[in-house]
Short mmCIF file of all heavy atoms in Angstrom, two decimals:
data_model
loop_
_atom_site.label_atom_id
_atom_site.label_comp_id
_atom_site.label_asym_id
_atom_site.label_seq_id
_atom_site.Cartn_x
_atom_site.Cartn_y
_atom_site.Cartn_z
N TYR A 303 -32.99 -14.49 5.78
CA TYR A 303 -32.23 -14.88 4.58
C TYR A 303 -31.70 -13.63 3.86
O TYR A 303 -32.56 -12.63 3.68
CB TYR A 303 -32.97 -15.77 3.69
CG TYR A 303 -33.39 -17.00 4.28
CD1 TYR A 303 -34.59 -17.17 4.98
CD2 TYR A 303 -32.75 -18.21 3.87
CE1 TYR A 303 -35.01 -18.46 5.48
CE2 TYR A 303 -33.14 -19.41 4.45
CZ TYR A 303 -34.19 -19.56 5.15
OH TYR A 303 -34.69 -20.75 5.71
N LEU A 329 -29.34 -16.32 -0.57
CA LEU A 329 -29.93 -16.97 -1.78
C LEU A 329 -29.44 -16.16 -3.06
O LEU A 329 -29.29 -15.06 -3.08
CB LEU A 329 -31.52 -16.91 -1.66
CG LEU A 329 -32.12 -17.58 -0.40
CD1 LEU A 329 -33.58 -17.20 -0.39
CD2 LEU A 329 -31.83 -19.14 -0.39
N THR A 350 -31.38 -20.88 -5.43
CA THR A 350 -32.80 -20.79 -4.90
C THR A 350 -33.53 -22.00 -5.16
O THR A 350 -34.54 -22.29 -4.54
CB THR A 350 -33.50 -19.59 -5.54
OG1 THR A 350 -33.15 -19.52 -6.98
CG2 THR A 350 -33.00 -18.27 -4.93
N VAL A 353 -33.03 -24.35 -1.85
CA VAL A 353 -33.47 -23.93 -0.53
C VAL A 353 -34.88 -23.33 -0.58
O VAL A 353 -35.34 -22.53 -1.51
CB VAL A 353 -32.61 -22.78 0.03
CG1 VAL A 353 -33.06 -22.22 1.43
CG2 VAL A 353 -31.11 -23.20 0.13
N VAL A 354 -35.72 -23.75 0.35
CA VAL A 354 -37.15 -23.32 0.38
C VAL A 354 -37.35 -22.58 1.77
O VAL A 354 -37.66 -23.27 2.74
CB VAL A 354 -38.17 -24.46 0.15
CG1 VAL A 354 -39.62 -23.84 0.22
CG2 VAL A 354 -37.96 -25.23 -1.11
N PRO A 355 -37.20 -21.30 1.74
CA PRO A 355 -37.43 -20.50 3.05
C PRO A 355 -38.91 -20.82 3.54
O PRO A 355 -39.88 -20.69 2.70
CB PRO A 355 -37.24 -19.12 2.65
CG PRO A 355 -36.38 -19.12 1.47
CD PRO A 355 -36.81 -20.36 0.70
N PRO A 356 -39.14 -20.98 4.88
CA PRO A 356 -40.51 -21.01 5.26
C PRO A 356 -41.36 -19.82 5.05
O PRO A 356 -40.77 -18.79 5.08
CB PRO A 356 -40.32 -21.39 6.79
CG PRO A 356 -38.88 -21.71 7.02
CD PRO A 356 -38.12 -21.08 5.85
N PRO A 357 -42.62 -20.05 4.81
CA PRO A 357 -43.39 -18.81 4.71
C PRO A 357 -43.27 -17.91 6.01
O PRO A 357 -42.92 -18.40 7.05
CB PRO A 357 -44.85 -19.37 4.74
CG PRO A 357 -44.69 -20.68 4.12
CD PRO A 357 -43.46 -21.26 4.61
N ASN A 358 -43.27 -16.56 5.82
CA ASN A 358 -43.23 -15.60 6.89
C ASN A 358 -41.77 -15.51 7.29
O ASN A 358 -41.51 -15.05 8.52
CB ASN A 358 -44.08 -15.93 8.06
CG ASN A 358 -45.56 -15.80 7.65
OD1 ASN A 358 -45.89 -14.82 6.95
ND2 ASN A 358 -46.37 -16.84 7.83
N SER A 359 -40.79 -15.85 6.54
CA SER A 359 -39.34 -15.64 6.73
C SER A 359 -39.15 -14.19 6.46
O SER A 359 -39.88 -13.50 5.82
CB SER A 359 -38.46 -16.50 5.97
OG SER A 359 -38.68 -17.78 6.33
N PHE A 361 -36.20 -11.29 5.06
CA PHE A 361 -35.23 -11.17 4.06
C PHE A 361 -34.49 -9.84 4.17
O PHE A 361 -35.15 -8.77 4.30
CB PHE A 361 -35.75 -11.37 2.70
CG PHE A 361 -36.42 -12.77 2.49
CD1 PHE A 361 -37.66 -12.96 2.81
CD2 PHE A 361 -35.58 -13.71 1.92
CE1 PHE A 361 -38.26 -14.24 2.68
CE2 PHE A 361 -36.16 -15.04 1.71
CZ PHE A 361 -37.46 -15.29 2.04
N LEU A 379 -41.98 -15.35 -2.33
CA LEU A 379 -41.74 -16.30 -1.13
C LEU A 379 -42.54 -15.98 0.09
O LEU A 379 -42.30 -16.58 1.16
CB LEU A 379 -40.25 -16.24 -0.88
CG LEU A 379 -39.29 -16.49 -1.92
CD1 LEU A 379 -37.83 -16.37 -1.59
CD2 LEU A 379 -39.53 -18.04 -2.50
#
Side-chain angles (χ1 to χ4, degrees):
Y303 293 83
L329 302 173
T350 47
V353 177
V354 181
N358 297 311
S359 295
F361 296 84
L379 302 175

